[in-house]
C-alpha cells in the first residue's frame, strides 16, 4: 500500500477510535445564572384545524358520553394542568386571518357558520368562540394569546375584540355585549398577535407593506390601563428570512410592539414529508438536522434584534414550531393528524434546550399544535386519550418554567450518519425558586449510548436523582391500544462524585436530573 494511503487509513482509524472513546463534557456554571427562563417558552398553540378544537378540546355542551364542563373535555384539562401550560395561542394559524370573532359570540344557535377554507373546507359552526376559549383558559390556568385577523379583518374589528375581552364593564357597546353574553368582568388577555404568517396565508404581504399595516392596527388596540398592559406580537419571519426581522425592527415604533414572531417546522421536504411512524434512520437524521437548525435561527434573528434593541427589551416569540410529517393513513389530509414517536421526543427535548439557553431573547414559544394536530401532546379518539412522548418531555421539562437559567459549556461527541454529523448531546440547566438545580439532557444518537461528564462549578450538591424517557425503537409511540408504552421512569445512571457528575444516556433518550 502506498505510504500516502497508509497515512489516510491511520488518520481515519485514530479519529474514529477517538470518537468512540471521547467524552462528552459539560461545564455547569451553577453560580453564573442571571436570566429567567420564561414559563411561556413552554407555551402551546390551538387552531381551528382538524380535531384540535372540535373533538380535542371541545365536545359540545350536550355531550352525554365524554365528561365535560360546558363542552370542554375534563380529561384533557386534567392532563394539561399537569403539564402546567402557561400560555395558549388561538384561533390560528392561517385560520386566524379568516376568523371574524363576532360570529363566535352570543347565543350558539344564532351564530352563523362559515367554511374553514384553509383546513379542508369543513363547516365551522362557531360554537367554540371567544367566551368558550377564554373561560377554558381560566379553567386551565393558562394565559390566552389571541391571534388577531389582520389579513381579512379591519382595525375596528380587532380594536373591538380588545374592548370586548379586556375593557372594564360599562365602558363601551362591546363591554355591554360581553355582559349580555354572560361575562360581566373582563378576562385577563395580555398577549395579542397582529396577523399570522403575513408573508403567506395571512395576506401574502411584503414586509415593508406589513410594517405599515401593523402600525395601523396597533394604533387602535387601546390599553385600558398600564397595570394590565397588552403585549403585542408582530407576525414574524419564516425560518431564515432575516430581511423580515430586519425591516420590522427598523420600521415598527418601539412603543407599538413587544415581540416578533418566528415560525420554524422540522420538515424533511415539504413535497415529501414522510411517515410519522415508519421512517428510516436517514429520515430521522434529516428531521433532527432541521430541528437543530433552530439554534442558528434563534441566534441570527436575535443578532439582528440586538442591533436595534441591545437591551433586549423586545422578545422573540417562536409562536409555531415542531415536527411535520404526512398525515396518518386514512385520515383527512387537511386535518394534519400525525402520530408522535421518540423522534418527536428528541425534537422537543433538543428544541426546548435551545430556547432555555436563549432565554435572554426568546420569551415565548408555542408548540404546534396542542391536540390532534402536528406534534401534539395529546391525541384523542372519541372518549379515548393518549399522552404522547412529546407530552412527557414537556412535563419533565416544566421544572425550568420561570427558573434562573444556568449557563453550560457543552462539548459533544458527533452522531454520524454517512458523511454527515450532528452533535449527539444537547443540554440546558436552571435553578428554581427553592434553590433546586435541574439539568435536561438529550442524546439524539440513534445507536450509541453517550457518557457525559459534567464538571460542576459554584455549587456543592449532595444528591442527584432524575427521570428518563426512552424506548427500544426510535419509531415507537403511544397508541390508543397501548397508551402508556412510553412514559418517564426513574433514572439511576447519574453518579455524583464531589464536583463531578457522570451520566450515561442511552441512545435517543431524554433525561432530566435534579441536583440538591
Ligand atoms: O400549524 C399549521 C399551520 O402552519 C398554521 O396554520 C400556519 O400558521 C402554519 O403555516
Amino acid at each position: 500500500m502506498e505510504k500516502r494511503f497508509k497515512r489516510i487509513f491511520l488518520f481515519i482509524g485514530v479519529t474514529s477510535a477517538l470518537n468512540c472513546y471521547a467524552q462528552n463534557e459539560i461545564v455547569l456554571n451553577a453560580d453564573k445564572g442571571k436570566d429567567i427562563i420564561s414559563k411561556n417558552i413552554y407555551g402551546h398553540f390551538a387552531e381551528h384545524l382538524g380535531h384540535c378544537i372540535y373533538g380535542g378540546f371541545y365536545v359540545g355542551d350536550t355531550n352525554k358520553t365524554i365528561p365535560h364542563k360546558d363542552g370542554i373535555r375534563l380529561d384533557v384539562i386534567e392532563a394539561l394542568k399537569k403539564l402546567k401550560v402557561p400560555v395558549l395561542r388561538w384561533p390560528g394559524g392561517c385560520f386566524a386571518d379568516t376568523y371574524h370573532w363576532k360570529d363566535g359570540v352570543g347565543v350558539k344557535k344564532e351564530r352563523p357558520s362559515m367554511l374553514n377554507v384553509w383546513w379542508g373546507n369543513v363547516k365551522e359552526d362557531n360554537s367554540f368562540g371567544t367566551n368558550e376559549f377564554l373561560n377554558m383558559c381560566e379553567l386551565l390556568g393558562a394565559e390566552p394569546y389571541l391571534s388577531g385577523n389582520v389579513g381579512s379583518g379591519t382595525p375596528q374589528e380587532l380594536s373591538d375584540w380588545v374592548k370586548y375581552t379586556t375593557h372594564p364593564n360599562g365602558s363601551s357597546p362591546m363591554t355591554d355585549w360581553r355582559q349580555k353574553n354572560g361575562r360581566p368582568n373582563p378576562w385577563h388577555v395580555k398577549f395579542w398577535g397582529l396577523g399570522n404568517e403575513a408573508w403567506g396565508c395571512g395576506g401574502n404581504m411584503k414586509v415593508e407593506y406589513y410594517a405599515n399595516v401593523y402600525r395601523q392596527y396597533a394604533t387602535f388596540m387601546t390599553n385600558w390601563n398600564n397595570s394590565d398592559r397588552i403585549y403585542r406580537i408582530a407576525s414574524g419571519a419564516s425560518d431564515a428570512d432575516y430581511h423580515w426581522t430586519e425591516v420590522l425592527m427598523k420600521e415598527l415604533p418601539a412603543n407599538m410592539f413587544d415581540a416578533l414572531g418566528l415560525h420554524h417546522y422540522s420538515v424533511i421536504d415539504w413535497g415529501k414529508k414522510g411517515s410519522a411512524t415508519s421512517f428510516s434512520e436517514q429520515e430521522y437524521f434529516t428531521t433532527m438536522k432541521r430541528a437543530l437548525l433552530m439554534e442558528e435561527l434563534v441566534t441570527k434573528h436575535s443578532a439582528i434584534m440586538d442591533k436595534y434593541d441591545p437591551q433586549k427589551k423586545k422578545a422573540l416569540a417562536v409562536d409555531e414550531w415542531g415536527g411535520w410529517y404526512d398525515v396518518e393513513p386514512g385520515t383527512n389530509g387537511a386535518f394534519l393528524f400525525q402520530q408522535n414517536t421518540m423522534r418527536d421526543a428528541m425534537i422537543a427535548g433538543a428544541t426546548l434546550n435551545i430556547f432555555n439557553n436563549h432565554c435572554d431573547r426568546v420569551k415565548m414559544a408555542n408548540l404546534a399544535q396542542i391536540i390532534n394536530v402536528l406534534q401534539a401532546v395529546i391525541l384523542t379518539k372519541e372518549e379515548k386519550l393518549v399522552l404522547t412522548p412529546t407530552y412527557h418531555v414537556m412535563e419533565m421539562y416544566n421544572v425550568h418554567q420561570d427558573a434562573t437559567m444556568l449557563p453550560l459549556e457543552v462539548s459533544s461527541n458527533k452522531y454520524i450518519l454517512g458523511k454527515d454529523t450532528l452533535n449527539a448531546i444537547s443540554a440546558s440547566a436552571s435553578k428554581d425558586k427553592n434553590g433546586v438545580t435541574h439539568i435536561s439532557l438529550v442524546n439524539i444518537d440513534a445507536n450509541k449510548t453517550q457518557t457525559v461528564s459534567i464538571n460542576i462549578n459554584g455549587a456543592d450538591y449532595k444528591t442527584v436523582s432524575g427521570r428518563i424517557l426512552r424506548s427500544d425503537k426510535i419509531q415507537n409511540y403511544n397508541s390508543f391500544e397501548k397508551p402508556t408504552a412510553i412514559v418517564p421512569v426513574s433514572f439511576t445512571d447519574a453518579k455524583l462524585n464531589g464536583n463531578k457528575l457522570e451520566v450515561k444516556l442511552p441512545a435517543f433518550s431524554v433525561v432530566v436530573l435534579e441536583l440538591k
Side-chain angles (χ1 to χ4, degrees):
M1 196 187 299
E2 248 188 74
K3 229 181 188 174
R4 196 158 55 96
F5 285 122
K6 265 192 198 154
R7 264 197 231 119
I8 291 171
F9 282 124
L10 188 68
F11 173 75
I12 294 171
V14 170
T15 45
S16 47
L18 279 179
N19 195 56
C20 281
Y21 299 109
Q23 276 281 22
N24 299 286
E25 294 224 327
I26 295 180
V27 178
L28 166 66
N29 295 302
D31 53 352
K32 297 235 165 74
K34 65 178 176 31
D35 297 312
I36 301 292
I37 298 175
S38 169
K39 63 179 180 186
N40 295 327
I41 283 178
Y42 292 81
H44 289 265
F45 168 36
E47 181 163 9
H48 285 238
L49 193 178
H51 293 297
C52 185
I53 299 296
Y54 301 107
F57 272 119
Y58 187 72
V59 286
D61 43 19
T62 54
N63 192 298
K64 295 273 181 291
T65 50
I66 301 172
H68 64 87
K69 181 174 187 313
D70 301 330
I72 306 295
R73 288 182 76 129
L74 290 174
D75 53 355
V76 162
I77 296 295
E78 192 192 334
L80 293 178
K81 275 191 169 171
K82 287 189 192 133
L83 216 49
K84 300 195 178 138
V85 173
V87 58
L88 185 57
R89 179 173 182 249
W90 177 84
C94 294
F95 180 78
D97 283 293
T98 64
Y99 183 61
H100 299 285
W101 71 269
K102 290 178 186 174
D103 293 345
V105 295
V107 180
K108 288 202 181 183
K109 57 179 187 313
E110 290 170 10
R111 296 183 191 176
S113 293
M114 66 185 277
L115 282 187
N116 188 334
V117 290
W118 283 110
W119 306 116
N121 262 319
V122 293
K123 182 176 158 186
E124 163 63 60
D125 68 2
N126 278 307
S127 55
F128 186 92
T130 300
N131 289 51
E132 288 75 22
F133 176 70
L134 295 179
N135 291 344
M136 183 180 86
C137 284
E138 286 184 344
L139 194 62
L140 208 53
E143 288 214 48
Y145 166 7
L146 295 182
S147 190
N149 180 346
V150 166
S152 71
T154 61
Q156 180 70 56
E157 188 181 358
L158 186 50
S159 160
D160 282 349
W161 210 11
V162 175
K163 289 182 189 139
Y164 183 87
T165 54
T166 68
H167 282 203
N169 228 5
S171 58
S172 75
M174 286 301 117
T175 64
D176 293 348
W177 196 25
R178 181 183 71 215
Q179 178 154 27
K180 193 169 157 230
N181 291 338
R183 175 79 186 199
N185 295 317
W187 293 273
H188 172 72
V189 189
K190 178 175 173 184
F191 299 112
W192 291 85
L194 281 80
N196 168 74
E197 299 194 347
W199 40 264
C201 64
N204 284 304
M205 301 178 211
K206 291 187 175 163
V207 63
E208 293 77 8
Y209 178 77
Y210 171 67
N212 279 333
V213 172
Y214 179 98
R215 294 163 67 123
Q216 183 193 6
Y217 274 72
T219 304
F220 300 99
M221 297 174 73
T222 53
N223 294 342
W224 182 256
N225 65 46
N226 283 334
S227 64
D228 207 10
R229 220 177 62 79
I230 60 172
Y231 183 103
R232 286 169 290 197
I233 304 170
S235 167
S238 167
D239 306 289
D241 183 354
Y242 300 114
H243 176 67
W244 189 276
T245 297
E246 181 93 46
V247 172
L248 290 187
M249 288 305 291
K250 208 186 301 177
E251 300 297 340
L252 302 187
N255 65 351
M256 281 197 164
F257 79 107
D258 299 280
L260 301 185
L262 170 67
H263 289 183
H264 172 62
Y265 285 98
S266 304
V267 62
I268 295 173
D269 173 346
W270 285 108
K272 203 166 173 249
K273 297 190 274 296
S275 160
T277 52
S278 168
F279 51 88
S280 63
E281 187 175 349
Q282 183 59 62
E283 288 176 289
Y284 166 63
F285 190 93
T286 308
T287 306
M288 292 317 298
K289 196 170 179 176
R290 295 287 299 162
L292 297 181
L293 185 64
M294 187 66 89
E295 172 71 37
E296 180 182 319
L297 296 175
V298 164
T299 304
K300 290 191 174 169
H301 284 288
S302 299
I304 294 167
M305 294 177 80
D306 286 347
K307 285 201 288 177
Y308 301 87
D309 171 35
Q311 291 179 312
K312 300 186 193 289
K313 290 186 175 155
K314 307 295 171 193
L316 188 61
V318 189
D319 46 11
E320 286 186 32
W321 68 274
W324 192 323
Y325 319 109
D326 288 341
V327 299
E328 286 306 298
T331 65
N332 187 324
F335 284 9
L336 310 186
F337 177 77
Q338 61 190 40
Q339 247 302 349
N340 195 291
T341 66
M342 283 304 294
R343 168 169 64 173
D344 297 279
M346 297 298 105
I347 298 175
T351 306
L352 291 169
N353 282 339
I354 294 170
F355 294 156
N356 285 347
N357 291 328
H358 285 275
C359 67
D360 59 340
R361 184 64 85 180
V362 178
K363 309 261 186 215
M364 190 196 285
N366 307 79
L367 176 64
Q369 297 192 9
I370 191 161
I371 310 177
N372 292 331
V373 172
L374 300 177
Q375 193 176 338
V377 292
I378 291 180
L379 304 176
T380 64
K381 188 173 167 191
E382 306 297 343
E383 74 293 348
K384 289 187 182 162
L385 173 146
V386 161
L387 306 179
T388 65
T390 301
Y391 173 97
H392 294 300
V393 174
M394 295 289 269
E395 185 274 323
M396 289 164 77
Y397 273 54
N398 69 21
V399 290
H400 293 303
Q401 291 190 14
D402 283 343
T404 304
M405 190 268 280
L406 302 179
L408 299 176
E409 292 155 44
V410 181
S411 122
S412 169
N413 283 348
K414 297 293 179 201
Y415 165 31
I416 305 168
L417 191 70
K419 290 188 185 131
D420 220 346
T421 64
L422 293 172
N423 283 343
I425 298 300
S426 91
S428 64
S430 68
K431 187 165 158 182
D432 71 14
K433 289 183 182 113
N434 302 317
V436 179
T437 295
H438 294 99
I439 311 181
S440 40
L441 296 148
V442 183
N443 173 15
I444 64 163
D445 195 313
N447 308 302
K448 287 187 198 148
T449 295
Q450 297 284 350
T451 301
V452 187
S453 174
I454 304 177
N455 296 310
I456 301 160
N457 288 338
D460 185 16
Y461 300 115
K462 302 279 178 270
T463 63
V464 61
S465 57
R467 288 195 298 159
I468 182 169
L469 192 76
R470 62 167 304 277
S471 191
D472 296 337
K473 279 174 67 190
I474 190 88
Q475 293 85 358
N476 283 355
Y477 56 89
N478 289 335
S479 64
F480 291 103
E481 293 69 40
K482 287 190 181 162
T484 55
I486 304 169
V487 289
V489 294
S490 161
F491 179 68
T492 50
D493 262 335
K495 309 279 179 246
L496 184 63
N497 188 359
N499 68 345
K500 286 224 180 309
L501 179 63
E502 191 163 284
V503 189
K504 261 198 195 113
L505 296 173
F508 56 92
S509 64
V510 179
V511 166
V512 176
L513 299 176
E514 180 170 293
L515 288 154
K516 285 184 185 166

